[in-house]
């Protein structure tokens, strides 16, 4: 993927990889493998977004326009007018992608309506598709300039709030953890509760005992990566060389995934997945905070990418050589207030009541199905008995067999008749 189109995708995706691994210079993956390592945007239309960009990449004219466009042109959807100039085969493929996306959305809508027991026979697909802002619902067969504009603008808008959503998810995770801790303590007697509270405090204190964490993006932090990861002499640290070493895909910018990889050594000082006291969800929140800190100080044009020029300018700032001490999550205020926790617990109680109500409804429906099953089984037995009786009556109406001299043999038939009447009486 070219730098311009990759820049578009990176601008839209925000590089939302959660589990970033350390960079190992001795075991770099092959170029073809790195090219396939696409970062999921987290959008429900992620595949459609990627496929559209991949198709547009095949058109030389559009690729050239994209490479010369600035971030505002991309984010505002101004490039959409260039769609009229792409090749016929590109437009044909885009039309096909849009029809597939519309079909997928229809299936999602139908499944949603079926799940809510709504009547979906007379669905107005155009009205329902309006809730999806990344395509034009009025034209469901061809990919037009408006579709490209809607796709870029919607993806940009959706993803600008992604970091905020990640922070909110972490807050809810922390509140749930605290809620479960309090509920567990309530279930213990006083002696066991005091013992458990002491154990928890010891774990917290153990977690706080870690080496100093360098401020992300500072000279000390980068020199540590230069030494520990790159295996170079920290006294020979060179920002330009450092940038090129960690621009792992060689596109001339550091994207957010490449930046987050730089923080691994700092995070390893605080978090170890083998330790009970270290929470890996907390580690990812710390990683996000570090990345946001660097972006705020380095990304001058706010395009979610760090160019070499921006990087070198950041090394000239006073904060680069004399940064403030980095405060980890342990040093900051809790991410939630007591009032927020109480509201969260009220939500949990309401949800528990609702789940209980649904469970009771399902239990009643199950009992009703059992009763209906029993009634159907009884009807089946009655039907079988009537069927057997009708077959026996039909046998009575047949001519009894004759003997060797044409005399009628009644004795055996009389015995059969007696058995039949007995069975009829039983029914």
């Amino acid at each position: 993927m070219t730098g311009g189109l990759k820049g578009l995708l990176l601008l839209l995706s925000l590089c939302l990889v959660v589990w970033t691994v350390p960079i190992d210079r001795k075991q770099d993956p092959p170029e073809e493998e790195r090219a396939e390592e696409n970062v999921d945007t987290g959008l429900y239309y992620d595949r459609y977004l990627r496929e559209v960009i991949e198709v547009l990449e095949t058109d030389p004219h559009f690729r050239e326009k994209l490479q010369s466009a600035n971030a505002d042109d991309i984010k505002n959807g101004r490039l959409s007018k260039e769609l009229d100039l792409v090749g016929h085969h590109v437009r044909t493929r885009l039309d096909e992608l849009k029809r597939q996306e519309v079909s997928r959305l229809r299936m999602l809508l139908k499944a949603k309506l079926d799940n809510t027991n709504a009547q979906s026979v007379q669905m107005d697909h155009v009205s329902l598709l309006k809730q999806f802002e990344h395509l034009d619902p009025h034209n469901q067969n061809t990919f037009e300039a408006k579709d490209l504009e809607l796709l870029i603008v919607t993806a940009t808008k959706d993803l600008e709030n992604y970091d905020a959503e990640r922070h909110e998810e972490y807050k809810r995770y922390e509140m749930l953890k605290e809620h479960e801790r309090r509920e567990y303590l309530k279930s213990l007697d006083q002696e066991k509760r005091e013992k458990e509270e002491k154990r928890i405090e010891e774990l917290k204190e153990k977690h706080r005992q870690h080496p100093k964490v360098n401020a992300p993006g500072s000279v000390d932090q980068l020199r540590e990566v230069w030494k520990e990861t790159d295996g170079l002499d920290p006294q020979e640290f060179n920002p330009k060389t450092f940038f090129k070493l960690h621009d792992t895909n060689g596109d001339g910018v550091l994207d957010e995934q490449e930046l987050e990889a730089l923080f691994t050594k700092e995070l390893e000082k605080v978090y170890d997945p083998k330790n009970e006291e270290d929470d890996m969800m907390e580690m990812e929140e710390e990683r996000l905070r570090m990345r946001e800190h660097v972006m705020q100080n380095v990304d001058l044009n706010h395009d979610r990418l760090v160019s070499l020029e921006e990087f070198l300018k950041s090394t000239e700032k006073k904060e680069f050589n004399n940064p403030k001490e980095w405060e980890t999550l342990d040093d900051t205020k809790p991410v939630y207030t007591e009032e927020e926790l109480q509201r969260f617990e009220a939500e949990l109680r309401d949800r528990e009541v609702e789940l209980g109500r649904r469970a009771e409804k399902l239990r009643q429906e199950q009992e009703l199905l059992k009763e209906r099953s029993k009634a159907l089984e009884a009807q089946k037995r009655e039907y079988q008995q009537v069927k057997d009786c009708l077959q026996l009556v039909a046998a009575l109406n047949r001519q009894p067999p004759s003997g060797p001299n044409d005399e009628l043999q009644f004795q055996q038939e009389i015995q059969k008749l007696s058995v039949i009447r007995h069975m009829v009486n039983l029914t």
Side-chain angles (χ1 to χ4, degrees):
M1 183 175 291
T2 62
L5 277 163
K6 184 177 185 299
L8 170 60
L9 184 55
L10 290 170
L11 175 66
L12 297 176
S13 70
L14 309 187
C15 298
L16 306 177
V17 166
V18 175
W19 299 105
T20 307
V21 297
I23 300 174
D24 188 350
R25 294 294 170 193
K26 297 179 180 180
Q27 295 181 349
D28 281 340
E31 289 293 334
E32 61 271 18
E33 290 184 14
R34 288 207 301 266
E36 295 174 359
E37 292 177 357
N38 292 324
V39 182
D40 192 344
T41 64
L43 296 173
Y44 65 89
Y45 50 92
D46 173 81
R47 181 175 178 179
Y48 176 63
L49 172 64
R50 291 182 179 283
E51 289 178 338
V52 167
I53 292 175
E54 287 173 3
V55 171
L56 289 172
E57 182 187 11
T58 64
D59 186 86
H61 171 78
F62 192 89
R63 184 168 60 246
E64 180 182 352
K65 289 294 182 181
L66 183 59
Q67 289 173 338
S68 62
N70 57 39
D72 288 337
D73 288 337
I74 295 174
K75 290 194 284 187
N76 294 330
R78 294 172 190 160
L79 284 172
S80 58
K81 63 181 182 180
E82 302 296 335
L83 189 67
D84 294 333
L85 302 177
V86 302
H88 175 71
H89 68 287
V90 173
R91 294 298 295 269
T92 301
R93 179 58 182 147
L94 291 173
D95 292 345
E96 182 182 352
L97 289 176
K98 183 175 180 181
R99 287 192 291 269
Q100 292 174 356
E101 178 69 358
V102 169
S103 177
R104 184 183 74 87
L105 295 177
R106 284 178 175 174
M107 292 177 62
L108 289 175
L109 289 168
K110 186 177 185 305
K112 181 178 179 181
L113 291 171
D114 290 345
N115 189 50
T116 56
N117 297 320
Q119 295 295 328
S120 57
V121 178
Q122 300 295 330
M123 282 196 304
D124 182 354
H125 285 107
V126 174
S127 297
L128 291 172
L129 285 171
K130 285 182 179 179
Q131 60 187 289
F132 300 105
E133 299 178 340
H134 65 290
L135 50 72
D136 180 9
H138 298 286
N139 175 16
Q140 301 179 20
N141 295 311
T142 59
F143 189 98
E144 305 296 339
K146 186 176 181 180
D147 288 293
L148 180 57
E149 179 180 353
L150 288 172
L151 181 59
I152 295 175
V153 172
T154 303
T156 302
K157 181 189 68 176
D158 289 345
L159 290 167
E160 281 177 346
N161 298 323
Y162 189 80
D163 284 352
E165 292 174 0
R166 283 180 63 184
H167 286 307
E168 185 63 26
E169 287 177 5
Y170 174 72
K171 178 194 287 188
R172 294 181 68 84
Y173 167 78
E174 285 292 297
M175 288 191 292
L176 179 60
K177 189 168 65 173
E178 176 62 16
H179 167 73
E180 291 177 342
R181 185 190 73 83
R182 293 184 182 186
E183 291 298 310
Y184 175 65
L185 291 176
K186 287 179 183 178
S187 68
L188 304 176
D189 58 42
Q190 183 174 354
E191 182 180 352
K192 290 182 179 179
R193 183 165 56 252
E194 291 175 354
K195 184 177 180 180
E196 179 63 14
E197 288 176 340
K198 181 180 179 182
R199 187 186 74 86
I200 293 173
E201 286 302 318
E202 289 174 350
L203 288 175
K204 288 182 178 180
E205 183 59 31
K206 184 180 178 181
H207 174 69
R208 295 188 188 99
Q209 303 303 317
H210 56 73
K212 175 187 174 183
V213 177
N214 294 312
S218 66
V219 64
D220 290 337
Q221 190 259 313
L222 298 185
R223 277 179 175 168
E224 190 165 350
V225 175
W226 175 274
K227 176 184 177 182
E228 300 295 333
T229 302
D230 302 328
L232 300 173
D233 186 349
Q235 300 302 319
E236 298 179 1
F237 174 75
N238 181 283
K240 187 174 182 179
T241 304
F242 182 92
F243 182 94
K244 292 182 177 180
L245 280 174
H246 294 275
D247 176 18
T248 55
N249 54 16
D251 61 356
V253 293
L254 295 181
D255 57 47
E256 293 180 347
Q257 182 184 4
E258 291 166 333
L259 278 177
E260 289 188 356
L262 300 179
F263 312 140
T264 300
K265 290 296 179 183
E266 300 302 319
L267 294 169
E268 287 177 348
K269 297 176 181 178
V270 188
Y271 301 95
D272 185 340
K274 299 178 182 178
N275 295 337
E276 181 184 0
E277 68 273 12
D278 297 338
D279 189 330
M280 295 301 102
M281 285 290 290
E282 184 177 311
M283 182 185 73
E284 293 310 314
E285 175 69 8
E286 194 79 74
R287 190 192 303 275
L288 175 57
R289 292 177 67 241
M290 288 180 171
R291 191 249 291 163
E292 288 178 332
H293 172 79
V294 172
M295 278 297 187
Q296 288 172 3
N297 291 281
V298 180
D299 181 20
L300 302 178
N301 63 357
H302 308 293
D303 64 352
R304 315 298 297 193
L305 301 168
V306 175
S307 66
L308 175 59
E309 182 182 1
E310 289 173 327
F311 183 77
L312 294 179
K313 282 185 177 181
S314 72
T315 64
E316 298 171 359
K317 294 181 179 180
K318 178 181 177 181
E319 295 80 7
F320 180 72
N321 292 300
N322 299 291
K324 294 181 180 179
E325 185 176 350
W326 179 253
E327 293 185 347
T328 65
L329 287 168
D330 296 324
D331 305 320
T332 60
K333 295 179 180 179
V335 294
Y336 58 86
T337 64
E338 185 64 27
E339 290 75 14
E340 288 176 321
L341 178 59
Q342 291 176 4
R343 288 196 297 269
F344 177 75
E345 290 180 324
E347 290 178 14
L348 291 180
R349 289 192 294 270
D350 292 342
R351 191 180 305 171
E352 186 176 356
V353 171
E354 176 62 19
L355 290 175
R357 186 188 65 79
R358 292 184 182 181
E360 177 61 22
K361 183 179 179 181
L362 289 174
R363 188 192 65 78
Q364 293 176 359
E365 291 177 352
Q366 186 180 31
E367 292 296 327
L368 182 60
L369 288 174
K370 286 181 180 180
E371 293 297 326
R372 289 179 179 176
S373 178
K374 290 179 181 178
L376 289 173
E377 192 63 33
Q379 291 178 2
K380 182 178 179 181
R381 289 195 299 269
E382 292 176 3
Y383 171 76
Q384 188 62 43
Q385 290 174 349
V386 171
K387 181 180 178 181
D388 293 341
C389 290
L390 290 175
Q391 290 175 347
L392 292 172
V393 170
L396 288 174
N397 293 330
R398 292 199 298 268
Q399 179 70 27
S402 58
N405 300 318
D406 292 331
E407 73 277 11
L408 294 177
Q409 295 181 348
F410 290 104
Q411 185 63 35
Q412 189 176 8
E413 295 303 320
I414 290 173
Q415 293 177 355
K416 290 181 180 180
L417 179 60
S418 176
V419 173
I420 290 171
R421 286 174 176 170
H422 178 68
M423 292 183 67
V424 172
N425 290 335
L426 288 177
T427 60

